Amino acid sequence: MSLPSGHLRVAAVDLGATSGRVMAGLVGPDVLELEEVHRFPNGAVRVHDSLHWDVLGIYREVLVGLRDIARRGRLDGIGIDSWAIDYGLLDRGGALLGNPYSHRDSRTDGMAEKVLGELHGSGAERMYATTGLQQLPFTTIYQLAAARGTPALESAETLLLLPDLLGYWLTGRLGAERTNASTTGLYDIRAREWALDLVAECGLPTRVLPPLRDPGEPVGPLLPAVADQLGVGPGVPVVAVGSHDTASAVVGVPAAEPDFGYISSGTWSLVGLELDSPVLTEDARLADFTNEGGVDGTVRFLKNVMGLWVLSESVRTWADHGLPDADLPALLAAAAEAPALRTVVDVNDPSLLPPGDMPARIQALAERAGEPVPHTPVEITRTILDGLALAYRHQLRTAAALAGRSLGVVHIVGGGTQNRLLCQLTADATGLPVEAGPAEAAALGNVLVQARALGADLPDLAAMRALVRRAHDVVRYEARGGLDWDAAERRLSASATRR
């Protein structure tokens, strides 16, 4: 493929917990285009009582996508982003020690409390002051703690998060990209280095932590054997991007002003602000907000909300039971006409984390909260979406208060931008305009960071976001009145107090 002068063509590998895709990205002056070349399903595999990722299958599909891109023309670079926290262990010869666990595996149950109790002083305060992370039971440090004493961890020489593991197989180079490392509980958010003292105090081996690298740094050129497989020259570089998909997605937020909140909406919803430095106050810790590294030294100050996982798992349950009205577009259309805020439940309740009969769990939450129990798929769908909008409202307002910021607009990026009802409910609940799009923000952020590293004139985040605005449309939703969201939030708070 012959490209105009000043244009770059790169591959963005963007992996989600339910699907992966390999995208071809074209970047030039006023040009930012994506083409989905290969998409494949993903999901955890249950083996006996454990949940694992088929990481070799993921790698195979990544190679298929990269080969397809290479067949169609020039390839200037490759970048990989994925969900956070999960990892593979390598032995001293670089061989993978078993399939990586899924963060939804139950082996970490109760592990956070155990680890925090083992730390000197107040474990929770110590952990937050160092890592800045909210307490999630499946954070990498707790997964490793659950593996203490196992043959795999005892013999491991290196820990690689999933994008770094795939990058290692492509290049033979070991390392850890900082935005993803910052999610592990093994990283000092202020020093921007591994928290070696904390790791050792938790009884974990510091030897497994690889050298850190920043977004935009080269991982390395493709190994000759890999280049032959793909049909490209061995000089094609793999570039470290914001390898946590949310870090890449925030790069792809088409914000024009700094007073924005964002929601990266997909299987999970990541709700927060972009800051210059972490917020490590006691109020932030008690509110369970997280500080994660972003591109160009920024901080993603955010809260994890369960996200559209709750809805997709409900649809899967209904389909498994053969219900004829389990079609998502039809459910959303009917839910838009259903009574608003009839049932208010906490969509971030831990019972909604594992796979299973999600509609029954929503009904159980409603019953425990003293709320009207939703029975039909339409009623349950509306309950989930109202609950998500309420969670977004609460977390955005809390983030702004903790950071001393005011918000003028909310940007929603990711797959949730295609859920028009959820976007409108978010505007209604927050009282702020919502700008939805682009849906492929993570892949766009991946492409932009690669392009800058390869010489494109994109000196900073503002320049990258300006290019996103010029090249991609967004849909704007204005807040509507008529619903008492304050009363709904009080109902939610009252039910939490009763529990």
Side-chain angles (χ1 to χ4, degrees):
M1 173 185 284
S2 177
L3 297 178
S5 175
H7 286 61
L8 293 161
R9 186 170 181 264
V10 299
V13 178
D14 179 33
L15 303 175
T18 57
S19 69
R21 60 230 118 173
V22 184
M23 316 280 283
L26 182 64
V27 183
D30 292 324
V31 174
L32 179 59
E33 297 176 1
L34 279 179
E35 178 190 3
E36 183 180 293
V37 174
H38 183 56
R39 179 183 286 263
F40 55 93
N42 190 28
V45 180
R46 184 169 293 281
V47 181
H48 300 300
D49 294 328
S50 299
L51 282 173
H52 295 273
W53 298 110
D54 178 14
V55 71
L56 292 176
I58 293 171
Y59 180 62
R60 179 189 63 238
E61 297 294 342
V62 167
L63 292 177
V64 168
L66 294 177
R67 192 161 47 242
D68 285 351
I69 289 177
R71 285 195 188 114
R72 301 181 189 196
R74 195 174 94 194
L75 179 58
D76 294 308
I78 300 167
I80 306 170
D81 67 79
S82 84
W83 69 95
I85 292 171
D86 294 333
Y87 61 89
L89 296 173
L90 305 182
D91 68 14
R92 68 178 59 188
L96 182 66
L97 292 165
N99 280 314
Y101 280 92
S102 165
H103 54 275
R104 296 185 190 275
D105 183 77
S106 62
R107 79 196 198 288
T108 58
D109 291 352
M111 193 53 61
E113 293 79 4
K114 182 176 181 180
V115 170
L116 295 177
E118 294 169 352
L119 293 175
H120 298 310
S122 171
E125 292 178 12
R126 167 82 187 286
M127 186 74 74
Y128 196 78
T130 302
T131 69
L133 296 183
Q134 71 183 107
Q135 281 300 315
L136 294 171
F138 44 73
T139 301
T140 311
I141 194 169
Y142 303 134
Q143 293 195 44
L144 284 174
R148 288 182 295 197
T150 63
L153 188 57
E154 291 292 318
S155 59
E157 287 294 316
T158 307
L159 176 151
L160 293 180
L161 297 167
L162 293 188
D164 301 317
L165 177 60
L166 298 178
Y168 167 66
W169 285 337
L170 291 173
T171 67
R173 304 286 180 86
L174 296 170
E177 186 277 318
R178 278 188 167 86
T179 70
N180 220 354
S182 73
T183 71
T184 62
L186 309 166
Y187 181 88
D188 188 318
I189 189 63
R190 287 175 294 187
R192 300 182 70 245
E193 298 291 344
W194 294 119
L196 298 179
D197 290 345
L198 178 66
V199 174
E201 192 176 331
C202 291
L204 300 172
T206 58
R207 71 176 184 277
V208 303
L209 302 175
L212 290 159
R213 46 171 89 105
D214 286 319
E217 286 188 22
V219 175
L222 292 173
L223 290 166
V226 175
D228 286 346
Q229 276 186 284
L230 301 182
V232 299
V236 174
V238 176
V239 177
V241 297
S243 68
H244 184 197
D245 53 10
T246 307
S248 279
V250 174
V251 173
V253 169
E257 301 295 337
D259 64 340
F260 70 93
Y262 62 81
I263 302 168
S264 181
S265 178
T267 302
W268 284 96
S269 291
L270 294 307
V271 183
L273 313 175
E274 182 177 76
L275 303 177
D276 294 326
S277 58
V279 179
L280 300 174
T281 62
E282 182 66 0
D283 285 344
R285 182 184 75 82
L286 293 175
D288 209 24
F289 264 74
T290 207
N291 296 267
E292 297 173 353
V295 171
D296 287 359
T298 57
V299 171
R300 292 174 285 130
F301 185 57
L302 59 85
K303 188 72 172 281
N304 284 49
V305 175
M306 202 69 73
L308 288 167
W309 156 258
V310 183
L311 182 57
S312 63
E313 188 68 357
S314 295
V315 171
R316 185 197 62 76
T317 301
W318 292 321
D320 286 351
H321 285 82
L323 295 181
D325 50 357
D327 175 69
L328 183 57
L331 278 172
L332 293 175
E337 303 300 322
L341 301 176
R342 173 181 178 270
T343 302
V344 173
V345 300
D346 179 8
V347 294
N348 230 23
D349 190 272
S351 68
L352 306 183
L353 177 64
D357 189 345
M358 201 65 69
R361 295 174 190 169
I362 294 291
Q363 291 170 325
L365 286 176
E367 187 170 4
R368 288 204 304 270
E371 292 281 323
V373 176
H375 293 289
T376 69
V378 171
E379 291 173 346
I380 292 171
T381 297
R382 183 61 193 239
T383 297
I384 292 169
L385 296 180
D386 283 346
L388 284 172
L390 270 172
Y392 297 164
R393 163 196 167 93
H394 177 73
Q395 303 305 346
L396 284 168
R397 291 185 173 192
T398 302
L402 291 169
R405 294 274 293 271
S406 60
L407 295 181
V409 64
V410 177
H411 284 272
I412 300 180
V413 296
T417 60
Q418 299 169 50
N419 190 322
R420 297 180 64 87
L421 176 56
L422 180 58
C423 293
Q424 183 60 64
L425 291 174
T426 302
D428 297 342
T430 61
L432 294 170
V434 164
E435 294 194 353
E440 296 290 356
L444 289 172
N446 179 323
V447 165
L448 288 164
V449 171
Q450 282 192 74
R452 180 174 65 176
L454 296 169
D457 184 19
L458 296 166
D460 52 26
L461 289 170
M464 295 181 190
R465 289 169 177 156
L467 180 54
V468 177
R469 289 197 304 276
R470 293 196 299 273
H472 293 266
D473 294 329
V474 300
V475 179
R476 187 176 174 95
Y477 298 84
E478 299 291 346
R480 304 172 301 186
L483 292 177
D484 194 341
W485 292 92
D486 288 329
E489 194 164 353
R490 288 193 296 271
R491 284 161 58 192
L492 195 61
S493 177
S495 67
T497 301
R498 285 196 298 271
R499 291 200 304 274

